[in-house]
């Protein structure tokens, strides 16, 4: 087949990139070689627009074993235990085919974790949909939630936490980000770097089909009116086969058989081969006629670019082939030697003894394009919202409207579809703060949470980037965990647009600042660009997945009020920041102004003080304050229990709407038994922490003096009605 300009563009390559390919090869590529370059040089695999900025993120720390660059990040939690975790996007496939797109997103992130020797112990997700009124939203929501639950439930990994949000910015491009967390021993961590010459390259798992061809390329381009035609590029998952694959791999990992291992994710056999060879500075020769295929007459092109699921590539030590084959045979999986390592530093592809492709490894990896795209700085908005000019509303009515909205309604309809307790180590399910997972057979546990804040990032990317790291940090603190490290999934629009590229660059500046100050390094992650349709880009949506350690889990701390007549302490200063708030968006449809200021000194001091108080077992419950402000946090604490509140009348000079709905950062609510109040106040004063005693818990009623009084049961009913009616 003749390589024309049209063929090049169809493969998602620019003409200048094609010119560079010819220079690297010193000749014209054939169609197979072009397809391989297309797979490795697309945005999804090469990070060509983001690499320059990603390298500025802090990635090292005392507890970091492996940072970015491997299948997943690895942290040390003591006692020879390691936690392996990562988050990735499956946005484009989930929009085209929601069930399979979401399901294979879960399957892919699980493989990233167990490929490194970890048994997965938890799944999380961050899913974003368009306006509930949009004609596609309901079917997309149903499909995605079913896909996440279907895959996770079948494979037997608990889905313990997540977030679901709605905004018209995602009408034509939803976000489906999946995170997996696994546990391994520090001396049994496996990497993808190939080593040694003439070592067996082994294909294991499912057979190769024609599903998912050009999936990575599809994820590196904007949608248009013809997006539905891309359904063949969406992979089809089989969780039962993945379960077999996981158990077979973990069994083989018990001895010294494996040199390196890599899952076949985006770009399938192409990316797995190239990544292993490039890291090891070796060549690999493949015999494609030996690749197990489930469809007839598959071509080398189709084999190399297929993204069929539940497949791995393994390089074995000499003499271990028979032993490994027996294990995979026992688990009823394909095991075929399809190649060998070489000293050629080339990817050589043979089919029936004929060389079909020959490409230098570095041409696909280190020589892939890196762009320094132009970007525009965004100034901090100056406009102020005048509350006096807005239609008057009662605090009670505002509270009810927010709690009954799509974004703030109880998500039980979603979480009930996920098995949260399988494996029996879930100490605390998803809720308002973070989930807690016991390390099996031990006293210690980890806390996990995912968070995003698109509105803040859109208004001012640097501030928004700082904020979302801090919010994730607070969520872990609130359950008594010491935050250790994060993974991130960076969802943005078209990087060729200088404004969009500016949002990306500045969000990363904000993330970097918070991570450095809080000693909260980035150990893994994913970039998803081109999220948009017909040049309508999504809001910048970085998603942060955090992991923290609870050294001794005596009793889990959650956000639910525990008893009557407890003191309610508000930690951190309240200034009443309403710009970019849930209050203005939900009540007045105003999304304007600047996001709340992030004071990293206060964030750290307040958080560490709260953690000290929790460790000394002085609190009944804790909740951080985020979207919706103080009153929403208090309502969540009440609705999770049978106890209400009686809040003192606010200060005369404070606007009650600003006080209760303001989204000032770095704040927590503590429920404190009166017997412990003096001890807590002493800690707070010694640490120079600002706090207020704002009221007491009480039975049955959610009450703010002079403003509202609602039965807690009624509040709970209001909060549960949206999904039921939708």
């Amino acid at each position: 087949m003749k390589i024309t300009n049209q063929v090049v563009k169809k493969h998602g390559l620019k003409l200048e990139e094609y010119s560079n390919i010819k220079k690297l090869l010193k000749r014209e590529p054939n169609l197979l070689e072009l397809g391989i370059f297309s797979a490795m040089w697309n945005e999804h695999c090469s990070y060509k627009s983001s690499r320059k900025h990603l390298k500025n993120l802090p990635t090292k720390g005392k507890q970091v074993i492996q940072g970015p660059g491997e299948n997943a990040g690895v942290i040390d939690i003591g006692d020879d235990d390691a936690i392996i975790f990562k988050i990735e996007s499956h946005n484009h496939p989930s929009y085209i085919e929601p069930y399979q797109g979401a399901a294979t997103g879960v399957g892919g992130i699980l493989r990233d974790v167990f490929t490194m020797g970890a048994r997965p112990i938890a799944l999380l997700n961050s899913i974003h949909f368009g306006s509930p009124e949009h004609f596609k939203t309901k079917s997309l929501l149903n499909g995605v939630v079913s896909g996440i639950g279907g895959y996770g439930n079948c494979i037997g990994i608990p889905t313990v936490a997540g977030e679901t949000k709605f905004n018209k910015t995602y009408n034509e491009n939803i976000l489906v980000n999946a995170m997996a967390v696994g546990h391994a021993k520090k001396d049994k961590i496996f990497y993808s770097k190939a080593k040694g010459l003439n070592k067996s390259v082994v294909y294991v798992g499912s057979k190769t089909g024609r599903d998912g061809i050009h999936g990575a390329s599809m994820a590196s381009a904007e949608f248009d009116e013809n997006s539905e035609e891309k359904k063949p590029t969406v992979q089809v998952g089989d969780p039962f086969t993945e379960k077999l694959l996981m158990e077979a791999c973990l069994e083989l990992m018990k001895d010294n058989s494996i040199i390196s291992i890599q899952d076949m994710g985006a770009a399938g056999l192409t990316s797995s081969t190239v990544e292993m060879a490039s890291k090891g500075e070796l060549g690999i020769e493949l015999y494609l006629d030996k690749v197990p295929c489930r469809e007839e007459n598959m071509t080398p092109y189709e084999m190399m670019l297929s993204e069929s699921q539940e497949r791995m590539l393994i390089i074995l030590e000499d003499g271990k082939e028979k032993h490994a084959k027996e294990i995979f045979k026992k688990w009823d999986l394909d095991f075929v030697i399809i190649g060998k390592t070489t000293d050629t530093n080339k990817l050589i592809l043979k089919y029936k003894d004929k060389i079909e492709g020959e490409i230098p490894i570095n041409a696909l990896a280190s020589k892939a394009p890196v762009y320094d795209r132009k970007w525009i700085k965004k100034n901090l908005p100056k406009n102020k919202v005048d509350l006096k000019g807005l239609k008057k509303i009662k605090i009670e009515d505002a509270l009810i409207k927010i709690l009954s909205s799509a974004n703030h309604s109880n998500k039980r309809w979603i979480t009930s579809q996920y098995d949260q307790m399988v494996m029996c180590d879930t100490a605390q399910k998803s809720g308002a703060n973070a989930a807690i997972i016991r390390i099996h057979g031990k006293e210690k546990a980890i806390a996990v949470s995912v968070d995003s804040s698109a509105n803040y990032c859109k208004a001012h990317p640097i501030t928004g980037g700082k904020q979302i790291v801090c919010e994730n940090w607070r969520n872990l603190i609130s359950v008594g965990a010491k935050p250790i490290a994060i993974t991130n999934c960076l969802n943005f629009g078209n990087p060729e647009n200088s404004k969009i590229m500016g949002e990306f660059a500045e969000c990363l500046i904000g993330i970097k600042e918070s991570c450095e100050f809080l000693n909260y390094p980035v150990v893994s992650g994913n970039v998803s660009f081109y999220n948009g349709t017909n040049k309508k880009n999504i809001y910048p949506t970085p998603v942060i997945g955090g992991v923290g350690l609870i050294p001794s889990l005596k009793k889990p701390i959650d956000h639910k009020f525990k008893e009557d007549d407890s003191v309610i302490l508000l930690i951190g200063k309240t200034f009443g920041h309403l710009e970019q708030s849930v209050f203005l968006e939900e009540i007045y449809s105003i999304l304007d102004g600047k996001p709340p200021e992030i004071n990293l000194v206060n964030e750290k001091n307040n958080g560490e003080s709260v953690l000290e108080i929790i460790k000394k077992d002085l609190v009944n419950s804790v909740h951080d304050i985020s979207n919706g402000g103080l009153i929403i946090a208090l309502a969540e604490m009440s609705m999770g229990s049978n106890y209400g509140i009686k809040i003192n009348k606010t200060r005369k000079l404070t606007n009650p709407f600003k006080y209760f709905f303001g989204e000032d950062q770095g704040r927590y609510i503590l429920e404190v038994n009166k017997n412990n109040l003096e001890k807590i106040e002493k800690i707070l004063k010694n640490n120079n922490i600002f706090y207020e005693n704002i009221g007491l818990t009480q039975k049955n009623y959610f009450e703010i003096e002079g403003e509202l009084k609602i039965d807690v049961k009624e509040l709970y009913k209001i909060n549960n009605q949206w999904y039921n009616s939708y």
Side-chain angles (χ1 to χ4, degrees):
M1 181 179 181
K2 183 176 173 58
I3 307 298
T4 63
N5 288 352
Q6 186 177 2
V7 172
V8 171
K9 291 178 180 179
K10 192 174 180 180
H11 280 75
L13 292 165
K14 299 184 182 300
L15 295 180
E16 55 267 32
E17 291 175 337
Y18 182 63
S19 179
N20 287 335
I21 290 170
K22 290 191 291 184
K23 289 178 183 177
L24 289 167
L25 292 178
K26 299 178 180 177
R27 58 177 172 81
E28 294 267 353
N30 60 33
L31 185 64
L32 171 61
E33 293 167 332
L34 183 70
I36 288 170
F37 272 104
S38 166
M40 294 306 301
W41 281 22
N42 64 56
E43 196 72 59
H44 191 78
C45 292
S46 73
Y47 292 79
K48 57 190 177 185
S49 298
S50 59
R51 205 182 306 175
K52 176 179 180 291
H53 301 274
L54 293 172
K55 68 181 183 181
N56 295 321
L57 292 174
T59 59
K60 296 180 179 179
K62 288 183 179 180
Q63 292 172 265
V64 176
I65 297 174
Q66 175 65 53
E70 269 293 340
N71 288 295
V74 188
I75 57 174
D76 186 346
I77 60 167
D79 306 315
D80 294 321
D81 292 313
I83 295 296
I84 297 176
F85 64 104
K86 188 182 183 183
I87 189 170
E88 276 199 341
S89 63
H90 231 221
N91 304 334
H92 289 66
S94 299
Y95 182 75
I96 294 170
E97 214 300 297
Y99 184 95
Q100 288 296 348
T104 52
V106 173
I109 199 64
L110 283 171
R111 289 195 301 279
D112 281 338
V113 167
F114 73 74
T115 297
M116 296 194 69
R119 179 169 291 281
I121 58 175
L123 287 164
L124 302 88
N125 57 75
S126 174
I127 51 180
H128 294 68
F129 300 94
S131 166
E133 290 76 34
H134 191 267
F135 72 99
K136 281 190 175 182
T137 297
K138 187 178 289 188
S139 62
L140 289 169
L141 174 67
N142 279 316
V144 167
V145 171
S146 296
I148 292 171
Y151 206 99
N153 295 350
C154 288
I155 200 172
I157 310 296
T159 301
V160 299
E163 60 173 8
T164 304
K165 296 184 177 182
F166 300 87
N167 189 304
K168 64 181 181 181
T169 189
Y170 310 109
N171 277 351
E172 306 297 334
N173 197 123
I174 64 174
L175 302 183
V176 176
N177 294 180
M179 177 175 169
V181 183
H183 170 237
K185 291 296 180 182
K186 286 196 295 185
D187 62 347
K188 283 293 183 181
I189 297 170
F190 292 81
Y191 300 95
S192 58
K193 181 179 178 180
K195 296 178 184 177
L197 298 178
N198 295 311
K199 303 294 184 182
S200 296
V201 178
V202 183
Y203 174 119
V204 299
S206 290
K207 289 180 169 53
T208 296
R210 291 187 171 94
D211 53 317
I213 293 174
H214 288 302
S217 299
M218 177 268 292
S220 304
E222 286 185 336
F223 285 144
D224 55 30
E225 61 275 0
N226 300 315
S227 295
E228 292 293 324
E229 297 174 4
K230 296 179 180 179
K231 278 192 176 182
T233 63
V234 179
Q235 313 94 322
V236 178
D238 180 356
F240 300 105
T241 300
E242 178 122 333
K243 171 68 172 174
L244 299 177
L245 181 62
M246 179 177 71
E247 297 299 341
C249 288
L250 292 175
E251 183 176 342
L252 184 60
M253 289 168 171
K254 290 178 181 178
D255 58 32
N256 298 315
S257 299
I258 296 174
I259 295 175
S260 64
I261 181 169
Q262 176 72 42
D263 82 293
M264 297 190 210
L269 188 54
T270 289
S271 63
S272 57
T273 307
V274 172
E275 287 172 17
M276 295 172 92
S278 63
K279 290 174 184 176
E281 298 182 347
L282 295 170
I284 287 181
E285 188 172 294
L286 297 181
Y287 316 119
L288 297 179
D289 48 305
K290 295 185 177 182
V291 172
C293 296
R294 66 168 182 261
E295 298 184 48
E296 294 182 358
N297 301 317
M298 287 191 69
T299 65
Y301 181 97
E302 293 170 326
M303 293 177 199
M304 291 301 296
L305 297 183
S306 167
E307 293 185 8
S308 295
Q309 298 291 283
E310 295 86 39
R311 302 179 300 158
M312 292 280 187
L313 206 63
I314 302 174
I315 296 176
L316 290 173
E317 292 282 6
D318 293 337
K320 295 292 185 177
E321 293 87 351
K322 183 180 178 182
H323 166 65
K325 186 174 183 177
E326 287 174 352
I327 291 174
F328 282 90
K329 185 179 178 181
K330 182 181 79 173
W331 291 101
D332 198 25
L333 296 166
D334 278 306
F335 176 101
V336 184
I337 298 172
I338 65 166
K340 64 181 181 181
T341 59
T342 70
D343 62 358
T344 64
N345 293 109
K346 292 181 179 181
L347 175 63
I348 298 174
L349 305 173
K350 293 184 176 179
Y351 186 72
K352 296 181 179 178
D353 296 323
K354 181 184 175 183
I355 295 179
E356 297 287 344
E358 186 173 353
I359 307 173
I361 292 292
N362 63 4
L364 297 168
S366 61
K367 299 291 185 180
V370 177
Y371 294 130
D372 185 7
R373 298 195 184 278
K374 292 181 180 179
W375 59 276
I376 297 173
K377 182 180 174 60
K378 189 162 190 174
N379 295 323
L380 192 66
K382 295 181 180 179
N383 48 317
K384 298 276 187 179
V385 176
D386 183 13
L387 287 178
K388 294 179 182 179
L390 298 175
K391 184 180 179 182
K392 290 185 179 180
I393 188 172
K394 294 180 179 178
I395 285 180
E396 180 175 338
D397 293 339
L399 174 63
I400 289 172
K401 188 170 182 179
I402 291 171
L403 289 180
S404 59
S405 68
N407 278 317
H408 299 91
S409 290
N410 190 303
K411 305 298 192 297
R412 184 171 282 106
W413 177 84
I414 293 173
T415 58
S416 64
Q417 297 184 54
Y418 305 151
D419 191 334
Q420 296 179 281
M421 300 304 294
V422 65
M423 300 180 74
C424 301
D425 283 319
T426 306
Q428 186 165 290
K429 297 185 289 185
S430 59
N433 296 319
I436 299 174
I437 312 298
R438 292 185 189 88
I439 302 302
H440 192 75
K442 298 188 178 182
E443 290 187 1
K444 63 186 175 185
I446 59 168
V448 291
S449 180
V450 290
D451 301 278
S452 64
S453 184
N455 288 351
Y456 289 173
C457 289
K458 183 65 177 176
H460 190 242
I462 291 178
T463 303
K466 289 167 67 174
Q467 185 274 337
I468 199 57
V469 174
C470 292
E471 183 176 340
N472 184 266
W473 196 78
R474 289 197 300 271
N475 280 333
L476 300 184
I477 293 282
S478 297
V479 297
K482 179 184 181 295
I484 296 176
I486 68 169
T487 180
N488 57 37
C489 195
L490 307 172
N491 307 277
F492 289 79
N494 190 335
E496 297 167 53
N497 180 317
S498 56
K499 289 183 178 179
I500 304 299
M501 197 64 213
E503 291 174 348
F504 177 81
E506 292 198 299
C507 270
L508 259 67
I509 292 171
I511 291 171
K512 174 180 181 288
E513 287 182 20
S514 285
C515 286
E516 286 182 338
F517 195 89
L518 299 173
N519 191 24
Y520 202 26
V522 181
V523 297
S524 61
N526 170 235
V527 178
S528 176
F529 277 134
Y530 296 98
N531 289 291
T533 298
N534 293 326
K535 302 192 184 300
K536 293 181 180 178
N537 295 285
I538 65 163
Y539 283 3
T541 313
V543 176
I544 302 296
V547 177
L549 177 65
I550 304 173
S552 180
L553 187 65
K554 296 175 183 177
K555 65 172 184 178
I557 293 289
D558 62 23
H559 69 290
K560 302 173 184 177
F561 288 133
K562 298 298 184 296
E563 60 185 16
D564 183 26
D565 205 35
S566 300
V567 175
I568 301 172
L569 293 182
L570 172 59
I571 309 297
K573 288 186 179 181
T574 299
F575 300 99
H577 189 99
L578 279 181
E579 294 169 7
Q580 293 294 333
S581 68
V582 167
F583 172 75
L584 289 179
E585 184 178 21
E586 294 288 353
I587 306 303
Y588 297 105
S589 299
I590 295 174
L591 198 60
D592 207 357
K594 58 185 179 181
E597 181 184 352
I598 306 298
N599 186 318
L600 291 173
V601 174
N602 287 344
E603 284 281 0
K604 190 173 185 179
N605 292 344
N606 292 353
E608 289 180 345
S609 297
V610 170
L611 188 58
E612 181 183 349
I613 291 166
I614 294 172
K615 284 182 176 179
K616 292 181 177 179
D617 197 22
L618 296 175
V619 289
N620 293 343
S621 62
V622 179
H623 195 5
D624 77 303
I625 299 173
S626 56
N627 293 343
L630 172 62
I631 195 169
I632 298 300
L634 289 168
E636 289 171 346
M637 296 177 83
S638 282
M639 292 184 296
S641 67
N642 292 316
Y643 297 101
I645 57 169
K646 187 170 183 178
I647 302 300
N648 308 322
K649 194 173 181 112
T650 60
R651 299 186 303 272
K652 290 182 180 181
L653 297 177
T654 303
N655 181 301
F657 291 96
K658 288 185 175 182
Y659 186 81
F660 286 111
F661 293 97
E663 296 183 5
D664 307 292
Q665 300 293 292
R667 297 183 297 160
Y668 301 81
I669 301 168
L670 273 57
E671 180 201 0
V672 179
N673 185 287
K674 289 178 178 178
N675 295 330
N676 292 326
L677 183 59
E678 186 177 341
K679 295 177 184 177
I680 290 176
E681 288 184 326
K682 185 178 179 180
I683 292 171
L684 294 171
K685 288 174 182 176
N686 286 343
N687 294 345
N688 199 28
I689 303 299
F690 181 89
Y691 71 95
E692 295 178 80
N693 185 331
I694 63 172
L696 299 168
T697 60
Q698 65 178 6
K699 292 180 179 177
N700 301 326
Y701 290 100
F702 188 88
E703 182 178 0
I704 298 173
E705 187 180 351
E707 297 290 350
L708 63 85
K709 186 175 182 179
I710 308 174
D711 191 295
V712 173
K713 291 180 180 177
E714 182 62 23
L715 210 61
Y716 180 83
K717 184 180 177 182
I718 290 165
N719 191 230
N720 278 270
Q721 65 185 22
W722 187 84
Y723 278 93
N724 293 333
S725 62
Y726 189 63

